[in-house]
Amino acid sequence: MRVALFLTCVNDTLYPNTGRAVVRLLSRLGVDVDFPVDQTCCGQAHYNTGYRHEAEPLARRFADVFGEYEAIVTPSGSCGAMVRELYPRMGERARAEGRGESLATALAPVVPRTYELTEFLVDVLGVTDVGAYYPHTVTYHPTCHGLRSLGLGERPRRLLQAVKGLELVELPGAEECCGFGGTFALKNPDVSAAMGADKVRNAESTGAEVLCAADNSCLMHLGGTMTRLGTDMRPVHIAEILASAEEEPAV
Amino acid sequence: MSGSESGNESGNGTGTGTFVGMPAFPRAAHDAVNDQTLRGNLRHATHTIRAKRAKAVAEVSDWAALRDAGKRIKDHTLRHLDRYLEQLEESVTAAGGTVHWAADADEANRIVAQLVKETGESEVVKVKSMATQEIGLNEALLAEGIHAYETDLAELIVQLGKDRPSHILVPAIHRNRSEIRDIFRSEMGSWGRPAPEGLTDTPAELAEAARLHLREKFLRAKVGVSGANFMVAETGTLVVVESEGNGRMCLTLPETLISVVGIEKIVPTWRDLEVFLQTLPRSSTAERMNPYTSMWTGTTDEDGPRAFHLVLLDNGRTDTLADEVGRQALRCIRCSACLNVCPVYERAGGHAYGSVYPGPIGAILSPQLRGTQSEIDASLPYASSLCGACYEVCPVAIDIPEVLVHLRERVVEGGEVIRQGNKVVLRPAKGHAAERAAMRAARWAFTHPAALRTGQRLASRTRRLQPRTLPGPGRAWSGTRDLPALPKEPFRDWWQRTRTRGGSKEGSK
């Protein structure tokens, strides 16, 4: 199976280790991974801030870059939700505004082929034990778009529970937003910071060493809050935990 | 008629006297976030009701079907609103009531003041009503020499405290018991019967003090003013759903009853109530069945009010109905489940929303009813992290995040809207020039991958020189959070280095 890695602009620029982890993990599971180098950004920050017309060329670009692949895998619930939930909406709006069928037509094939990483592992590959080893206490934060837009449900937890050496502890108030919300963190800094601090305190109360999520944007916000609050906890993307192996464990 | 506006939109901001001059959401929220008592009060109240609601909803096996039915009934009614409103007018008139039509807040206030004056009275008792709060009726009546007394317990607390409501269902949610005791002690005497000597902050004593104070007003009042949760078109019946029984007293004891109701509150038939009388109590107070559901149809000899007036309020609703995405906000049954689950409301409090409708529903309703041209209304669509919890709990499935993003687009890109029945072309709101330029620049980079790579490489090479705090608008971020350190190379460089032209094809190194 030949799949395309849609890494997202945040991961590419700031968190390349997540991309390397996805490649390592999927290769270990026998998947042939390609990274179309012309990919850039899904346009979510534009769209969600109200700049839909700036987001449209990025959606079209996504369709052009990923159109030929059987499956498109992304280690981001948020960017995955952008493609799956909001691209169809963008196509419909463009059509309703009489700007032709072309955007909707271009997006139609890529939307259902786009999977968030844990969804791809559980639903497409049919695995929950990916042969990982990670001897740490971990608490899992289900990020909003993964939880509500994509409906990831128990998939990430089932994957983590199957990791050798890993102890999964429940996060109080797990389903509450961490307060990142893209440009929300800039436009409403006080509320965003208060939400982040509450999330970090809840995570700390579990005694876990690692706060895990399937989205680096939320982890960037929470990690920045952790160092500022002086906690010892580390934010780690789920891909890095699942890629970790006994012969070469991730820290 | 078609026109173009930029500055003040001639909405109805003037009618909502209580909230004029509110700062934009982020500034108002800044104060609330730092008020530890308020944070504590809100956290306790919202978490308690949130947990109860989840339990009450989980008890119903066909909740998803009820939610869908509520959504469909409301959508159907809104699609044929003209027809159902005419039917309602006929039914109310046939039952002995009188129907008045009010296009905006000023007209509604004038009608009510005139009706009260015709009775010769200078006092009215009120059952909690969002519609009358929306139009600033109490202030308008006072300007005409008429005193309006709120009789809902929470509204009484707000009124006595010269305060503003901060929650749809629990307007005094921002107050704790000892604050309420202090308000009762110092204020009740100047409004009527004073608080009993030695009043403590136990709930039973506070409730008894309110009961004694209100009882006098109920027995004296000749005019009652109400809103309604629902209006049934086929029978002309109005329905008030409340928990205390004070509303029922307001509806039945006075000689004249004036009900001010938004036109979207209509349902076609009596049978449609079945759905909402299940979903509303469970969503709002987490009760299986509502304690006091009062229904009144016109007038009846020897029982209840002798005169009944229904003031049907538009005040931006028809304009909202013209918006294909935004019109779903009119499905709202004011249950407040979205407020109770919202992490932003929990930290910012209701007052920050600058409207009688706070929380997620307020963030989409106010900018539609009032327009997006004022500073507070332009900031409301951004008062959300788009986490989606509000949509998940909404008993009539209003996709609040969808409408928020739609309104953000209106704020930054402008466009065509309907205001007071006319097509108006809005210019983008002021203060977004730098953001728009940044968004355009980002879009340009994202459509030119070579430029993006150059930028990424430059950033990586200079990474040791870069500060962990940001200047300008970024300061808001780095004031409370550290920025991540830039990696040595972006992923795409690693990929090309290891995967193409001489690079090894090995997995992880």
Side-chain angles (χ1 to χ4, degrees), chain B residues 49-66:
Chain B
I49 188 76
R50 200 184 290 182
K52 282 188 183 170
R53 187 212 73 95
K55 201 170 152 225
V57 165
E59 286 177 351
V60 184
S61 59
D62 59 346
W63 186 259
L66 282 169

Side-chain angles (χ1 to χ4, degrees), chain A residues 5 7 9 11-20 23-24 27 32-41 45-55 57-58 61 85 89 93 96-97 144-145 147-148 175-177 179-195 198-199 201-202 217 220-225 227-228 248, chain B residues 25-26 29-30 33-34 39 43 47 50 325 343-344 346-348 379 382-389 391-392 399 401-402 405-406 408-410 412-413 432 435-436 438-440 442-443 445-449 452 456 460 468-469 473-474 476-487 489-497 499 505 507-509:
Chain A
L5 169 61
L7 189 56
C9 55
N11 289 319
D12 176 21
T13 310
L14 295 171
Y15 300 99
N17 286 344
T18 299
R20 293 162 75 157
V23 173
R24 181 182 175 190
S27 303
D32 186 11
V33 185
D34 194 10
F35 178 79
V37 289
D38 281 344
Q39 65 176 283
T40 55
C41 166
H46 293 84
Y47 184 88
N48 278 351
T49 312
Y51 297 91
R52 176 166 60 98
H53 292 104
E54 300 286 342
L58 300 179
R61 173 172 195 86
E85 191 182 29
R89 207 173 272 178
R93 286 291 301 279
E97 286 168 13
C144 299
H145 291 161
L147 179 73
R148 301 195 181 91
E175 299 195 348
E176 278 175 43
C177 177
F180 174 61
T183 50
F184 173 75
L186 289 170
K187 286 176 177 285
N188 286 283
D190 298 291
V191 177
S192 167
M195 288 161 69
D198 287 348
K199 178 64 73 180
R201 286 190 200 105
N202 278 338
S217 309
M220 172 174 71
H221 165 72
L222 292 170
T225 306
T227 57
R228 194 59 68 90
E248 194 191 341
Chain B
F25 185 85
H30 170 82
V33 164
N34 292 305
R39 281 280 294 280
R43 185 178 167 77
H47 280 248
R50 200 184 290 182
V325 178
V344 177
E346 182 191 325
R347 274 99 186 165
S379 73
Y382 294 96
S384 166
S385 64
L386 303 180
C387 82
Y391 177 33
E392 195 174 57
D399 190 340
E402 180 188 21
V405 171
H406 173 68
R408 289 174 183 191
E409 192 183 320
R410 183 174 299 171
V412 299
E413 294 192 341
H432 290 268
E435 178 186 275
R436 188 175 302 109
M439 288 289 175
R440 283 203 183 130
R443 193 262 295 142
F446 287 140
T447 45
H448 295 80
L452 179 69
Q456 282 177 332
S460 287
R468 297 290 290 270
T469 55
W477 168 276
S478 56
T480 47
R481 287 150 287 202
D482 287 319
L483 291 167
L486 274 170
E489 62 178 350
F491 176 85
R492 66 182 63 233
D493 282 3
W494 171 81
W495 177 268
Q496 293 206 312
R497 188 163 57 74
R499 294 294 173 127
K505 228 195 159 189
S508 62
K509 292 289 166 80

